[in-house]
Amino acid sequence: MSNYNAVSQDLIKKLAEIIGDKYVISDPDRMDPYSHDEVTDPKYKKMPEVVVLPANAQEISQIVKLAAANNVPVIARGGGTGLTSASVPFKGGIVLSVERMNKIIGIDKENMFMEVEPGVTTGDVQKAANEQGFLYAGDPCSGDSSFIGGNVATNAGGNKAVKYGTTRHQVNGVEIVTAEGEIVTFGGKCKKDSTGYSLLNLVIGSEGTLGIITKCYLKLVPLAKNVMDVLAVFPDLKTAIGIVPKIMSAGIMPMCVEFMDNESIKCCEKFLNEKLPNSENGYYIIISIEGDNEELLEDQCVTIDEMATEHGAMTVLAADPARIWKARKAYAEADRARSLIFSMEDLVVPVDKIPQTVEKIAELGEKYNIAIHCAGHAGDGNIHANILKDQLSDEEWNEKLPKLQNEIYTAVYQVGGKLSGEHGIGYKRVKLLEQYANPVELKMMKAIKQALDPKNILNPGKVIDIG
Ligand SMILES: Cc1cc2nc3c(=O)[nH]c(=O)nc-3n(C[C@H](O)[C@H](O)[C@H](O)COP(=O)(O)OP(=O)(O)OC[C@H]3O[C@@H](n4cnc5c(N)ncnc54)[C@H](O)[C@@H]3O)c2cc1C
């Protein structure tokens, strides 16, 4: 039972007065795309009561004030590419999509900043930065369709996090609308800020539960002239991952280091219908390095080649990065093509614990007789483990999955890991956070939510449930 009021016709009329009739959607067919994110299990779907498409922070402020006065939740939505059902309105209410707020406001070349609205896709942010000779280093694999506001709200990781960090490290400021409808900016163009608590960092990764992001100030770095990719194929994962710290300690700072286990490679090969190197028995490490000095980069590729070969690589290839990246990026889609319903785990462990964790996951897959494919960001210990429903009946799946997940998380926490490296808690992992987070940490998180959103209006039931 929800403690909230239903969205009434009168409320819909008032919403239309704020943003205009055509930006208020209540037709079920048109609302359907807003009823889920990229989680395909139908139990993670819920139709909004109404969808609104505001044009600016002032309109959002009025919507939030109206919602609070009527005791109706507001759920911010970006590109809907999330993998935790964080933007799905499970407690009813108004889904607020920022899709019309898609302007790049400006690029400040001298201060190396970009000011953008939250509905710009990550890909467009990257492209605009590149056109001016800069790199925006946030780079989730979903960049073609995820929004920058969604990236900030989830603290998205991605391919370049080894060198540049997650989205948190690319954001210097945000403008938000608070739960009371106030408009406030945290941070901005200053490079440093020790002026009290970092409210900016509280908002980043808060998944729409502490404020609605209406503007982002993004850091830019000079764009390197060259990028080179190396694929090293190993006979097992332990040897494969073992190469990562060796490369780092040799003074090479890769931009990204990705891994794929053999089952993932085979599944992508089938999905793409393209032969992939050593797909019979190989484990991939994909390394990208960047820099201005082409000769130096070539030397570094040779060093990586020598180190990988000495470390037991079966094949090292510097060629054909497009094909290898296509395979890595198709990982989730390939699994979805095989099994529409699957659970994508987003575990993070210390880098040296990846092999034993992946081995444990494989062992548990055998124990429960469920296929699990692992790939991810090896350079920062982030393991994506796709647990596939395949032909299991709904009953078997619902019975086995939580048990299997619990065993996986227990193993992850035993080696100092955590539930989520980059996708967040959303709705899917609320109970798990309650179960696995440190109780003091949890108490503090609840106190923050209670203080900043006492009516529990903003995306209720996500991250932590104070309802
Ligand atoms: C194929 C694929 C690959 C992916 N690869 C990666 C990856 O490499 N790294 C990674 O980290 N993630 C990845 N993801 C997950 C997803 O793309 C990210 O979590 C992304 O940041 C979500 O952005 P979005 O705009 O789609 O947000 P949505 O899914 O719309 O929303 C996600 C959360 O952000 C909140 N939110 C959205 N906009 C705002 C706003 N303006 N203000 C406040 N809150 C807001 C929502 O309420 C919700 O809680 C991938 C997903 C897919 C489908």
Side-chain angles (χ1 to χ4, degrees), residues 41-55:
D41 191 333
K43 77 175 180 220
Y44 292 110
K45 184 173 170 160
K46 175 98 199 286
M47 191 64 96
E49 291 182 82
V50 66
V51 176
V52 294
L53 315 178

Side-chain angles (χ1 to χ4, degrees), residues 76 78-82 86 141-142 147 150-151 153-154 156-157 207-208 213 422-423 459:
T81 67
C141 292
S142 51
F147 291 178
N151 291 173
T154 55
E207 303 185 38
I213 298 160
E422 57 179 19
H423 296 161
N459 209 2

